[in-house]
Amino acid sequence: MRQLPKTELSPQNGCVIDTKWKLGPLSYHASAAGKVQAEPSRDIIRLPELVIYDHTGFGGAYARTNLSFNYIGDFWNDRISSLIVVSGVWRFYRDEYYKGDHWDLGPGYYESFFTSKGPDDVVSSFQAIALT
């Protein structure tokens, strides 16, 4: 069995992945069984994606994801200091299970994104809330 680094956003590291998300025409499905035939979209849809970093200035440990997390795990809890929002609009919550104060961020580079929006290292959960 492969050894997981403690920085990976994985259930083995205490993360709780939100498996019930629906965002515009996109949604999560645990299985393709029983799904109805759908017409292919002619629109280009970019899956929301972000990269989180342990230190300001995009330093330290990092993780890349396109999933929403009810809880970001034991390593990442209250440790995110900078991030890159590749696509989508993401909402970052102070508490787990999308509770407490929150901040919405769209595509961009946030070298120290909590400095002007609130205290550093306070995020416990996050979710994609819109496509871009």
Side-chain angles (χ1 to χ4, degrees):
M1 187 169 167
R2 172 173 90 88
Q3 178 92 14
L4 286 177
K6 65 182 179 179
T7 59
E8 191 168 313
L9 289 166
S10 165
Q12 289 90 333
N13 289 334
C15 298
V16 181
I17 300 170
D18 184 356
T19 59
K20 304 275 191 264
W21 63 269
K22 180 165 178 47
L23 200 56
L26 303 175
S27 60
Y28 176 88
H29 303 280
S31 169
K35 299 297 173 212
V36 296
Q37 186 75 11
E39 284 295 315
S41 174
R42 298 198 191 291
D43 299 328
I44 295 174
I45 299 171
R46 292 190 64 195
L47 195 61
E49 185 176 6
L50 76 140
V51 185
I52 57 175
Y53 293 88
D54 185 27
H55 299 304
T56 59
F58 314 110
Y62 69 92
R64 186 178 200 116
T65 189
N66 55 18
L67 300 174
S68 295
F69 287 86
N70 292 324
Y71 177 64
I72 57 176
D74 300 331
F75 177 84
W76 286 105
N77 187 42
D78 296 338
R79 288 186 75 155
I80 299 173
S81 294
S82 60
L83 62 94
I84 300 170
V85 176
V86 179
S87 59
V89 177
W90 292 82
R91 181 167 287 168
F92 298 87
Y93 295 85
R94 182 180 297 274
D95 301 322
E96 49 193 78
Y97 291 92
Y98 313 133
K99 294 183 178 150
D101 297 338
H102 66 270
W103 302 269
D104 295 344
L105 299 173
Y109 294 84
Y110 300 90
E111 188 172 4
S112 181
F113 77 106
F114 279 124
T115 304
S116 62
K117 293 217 172 236
D120 190 17
D121 296 336
V122 297
V123 173
S124 293
S125 60
F126 59 77
Q127 68 182 142
I129 60 170
L131 299 172
T132 55

